[in-house]
Structures are given as C-alpha cells and as structure tokens.
Amino acid sequence: MKKIALVTGASSGIGLDTCLRLIQKGYTVYGAARRTELMKEIEENGGTALHLDLFNENSIKNCVDTILSKEGKIDLLVNNAGFGLGGSIEDIPLEEARKQFEVNVFALASLIQKVLPSMREQRSGRIINISSIAGRFSTPFTGWYHGTKYCVEALSDALRLEVKPFGIKVVLIEPGMIQTDWGVIHGNNIRKYSGNTAYKTNANLVADYYEARYVKNKNLSPASVIAKQIVKASEAKHPKRRYIAGTLAKPYVFFKWLLSDKLFDKATMTFMHLSNKD
C-alpha cells in the first residue's frame, strides 16, 4: 500500500523538490501552497496540488480533510512552509511579528493537530518539521524569525516524546544557507523596517551581509540538498532526531556550542562586520 504524504510550501524550492523525490520513491504526494498554478510539475509527475493558505484555519482544515476523505490516512507530514521577517525587534510592528509566528509556528501546529488523530489510529506516521540553524542561535535583525524557529525546535522535541507510544516519529531538519530568494527578501525587509531608523548603521550592514551571500555567492547549497535529507528522514526505519545540512550549517552550530555567549556575540559582530557605534 502506498504511503500518503502532505508537503507544505510545495510551490518552489525545497518543498517542490521534496514532492518530486517522494513521488519517485512511490509515495502518493499532495503538495500544498497558496499558488497552485506553480505546482504543475508535481501534477505532471503524478502528484496532486492543493490550495493551502496558512493564515486561514479553514483552509488548513480543508486541506487535511480533502486528503483524509480521499485516502483515509496521512503517513507523512512535511511542514516546510514558512518565511523570514527582517528588522530590529523594536522597529517591526507587533502585527507583523504575529504574522511571522502565525505561519511558522501556529499553522505548523494546526497541521500537526489535524493529522495526529489518524496517525494515532493507525499507530504509525512521521512528522518532519523544517526548522533552521536559526533555531540554534540568534543574530541581529532576524530576532522574530529566530524566535519562531526556536519554537519549532522546542515543540518538535516535546512532540517527539508525546507521540512515541503511538509509533509516530518526529524529525527536525535544520538547513543552513540554501540557494533561494530568502536572503534577498530578508535584506529588503531589514532595510524596509530598520534601514532609516536609529538602528540604520548595523541594519544596513546586516542587509549587505545577506545580500552578498545570497546574490553574489554562488556556492550556496541547492534546495535538493535539503530535499534529499527530508526523503532520507522519511525512509529511514530509525531516523535521526535532527538532520543538519547546507552551506555553513555545521560550522555555525559547532561554534555556538563551542563558544561562550560573550565570545559568540563578539564573533557574530566581527563576522557580520557590525559597528559598536550607533
């Protein structure tokens, strides 16, 4: 019997690549995103594109119910959708910060809550949450985004223990720098919210940092690197609790583990060429 997979954020990048690889592995794949017209490749390869608006609870419910009514189960949930909000903690309006948490944390949790009953009933299933190395440490002008990824890490660790008696496995994937538009969008957001405020000196330096790495640096890992890890975690009989991959992922995490907070702060300031003056 084929396994049924739901992958969010499936219209591009990691999500799209993951859907195609799971189809090749024999899964019945449902790719979900707001823009279904961007998921034609999934349907051309035998998958199904579903509309999913993570700001809308009814949309989340309809997405899961559609699969359950047709297939009777969901064996694999890949929570890949999310976005990054750049700017200082002070400058970003709380309304925007709440939207960041709504998508990256609460929508993810809502999907988990809606697939768990069927997984518990069949006493099997796998939930793969795409976190980030941003869930292991924090950098300036990315605080709200880091906050959501810390939440995903904590929720996943707790959930893993809660559902273990039901035969359900929970896995975290922690990407480093990947070839996407994330850094460009992030840099633009930092300039938008903090580029002309009291934080402008370092805000613009951080924006420069991300843009330099995502626009000029061609050595970032392709989305396929993470998609392969997701498929590996999906297929493994005994998956690791965390998979870390992508450019600079392991060095960043290692130095966070190695250095004191004081030294890590200093290293971050130096590495990002930040100023101690306003």
Side-chain angles (χ1 to χ4, degrees):
M1 184 179 292
K2 279 192 171 185
K3 291 184 178 180
I4 312 301
L6 168 59
V7 181
T8 69
S11 60
S12 64
I14 294 169
L16 176 58
D17 199 310
T18 298
C19 286
L20 298 176
R21 290 176 186 277
L22 288 173
I23 290 170
Q24 291 175 356
K25 288 290 184 179
Y27 285 74
T28 296
V29 174
Y30 289 83
R34 283 188 297 174
R35 300 183 62 183
T36 54
E37 71 274 12
L38 298 180
M39 295 187 283
K40 290 181 180 178
E41 190 174 1
I42 293 173
E43 296 194 316
E44 289 169 354
N45 282 273
T48 301
L50 291 178
H51 178 265
L52 176 61
D53 182 352
L54 293 176
F55 287 108
N56 188 317
E57 184 67 20
N58 286 331
S59 178
I60 296 172
K61 183 178 186 301
N62 289 338
C63 179
V64 174
D65 286 350
T66 297
I67 301 172
L68 291 177
S69 64
K70 185 176 180 179
E71 307 291 349
K73 63 173 184 170
I74 294 175
D75 298 292
L76 172 65
L77 169 63
V78 180
N79 274 313
N80 169 67
F83 73 97
L85 186 61
S88 77
I89 300 296
E90 180 181 354
D91 290 328
I92 291 178
L94 288 181
E95 180 182 357
E96 295 302 312
R98 289 188 181 99
K99 289 179 182 178
Q100 173 85 110
F101 273 81
E102 188 64 41
V103 170
N104 290 11
V105 179
F106 293 111
L108 171 146
S110 180
L111 282 158
I112 290 171
Q113 289 182 342
K114 288 172 176 56
V115 304
L116 275 178
S118 64
M119 286 185 175
R120 283 191 292 100
E121 185 176 353
Q122 68 190 26
R123 302 192 72 81
S124 67
R126 197 158 299 194
I127 296 170
I128 299 179
N129 292 329
I130 311 305
S131 177
S132 168
I133 57 171
R136 298 284 200 104
F137 58 87
S138 294
T139 54
F141 304 100
T142 316
W144 289 112
Y145 175 72
H146 282 284
T148 65
K149 293 305 182 181
Y150 269 67
C151 280
V152 170
E153 296 271 330
L155 289 173
S156 299
D157 285 339
L159 181 67
R160 184 176 64 249
L161 299 176
E162 292 170 1
V163 301
K164 186 176 182 180
F166 303 102
I168 301 167
K169 294 179 171 60
V170 178
V171 178
L172 278 160
I173 307 290
E174 299 172 329
M177 291 183 171
I178 306 299
Q179 289 174 7
T180 67
D181 292 332
W182 188 92
V184 177
I185 295 169
H186 193 61
N188 288 339
N189 278 331
I190 291 173
R191 295 188 198 281
K192 172 184 174 182
Y193 288 111
S194 298
N196 292 297
T197 71
Y199 299 93
K200 62 184 178 182
T201 299
N202 280 340
N204 285 300
L205 287 170
V206 171
D208 289 343
Y209 169 85
Y210 282 112
E211 289 165 356
R213 277 149 185 80
Y214 281 85
V215 176
K216 301 174 185 177
N217 190 337
K218 303 302 181 182
N219 297 320
L220 300 186
S221 299
S224 60
V225 168
I226 304 303
K228 288 176 182 177
Q229 294 297 312
I230 295 171
V231 173
K232 182 178 180 180
S234 303
E235 294 280 276
K237 183 177 180 180
H238 302 291
K240 295 191 291 186
R241 290 158 178 80
R242 283 171 169 79
Y243 291 79
I244 182 169
T247 301
L248 292 178
K250 291 181 179 179
Y252 271 128
V253 172
F254 172 74
F255 283 112
K256 175 58 179 174
W257 170 81
L258 178 68
L259 302 176
S260 66
D261 288 344
K262 181 179 180 180
L263 286 176
F264 190 81
D265 284 354
K266 185 175 181 179
T268 299
M269 294 286 288
T270 300
F271 193 65
M272 302 184 91
H273 308 294
L274 302 185
S275 172
N276 285 316
K277 300 178 181 180
D278 60 23

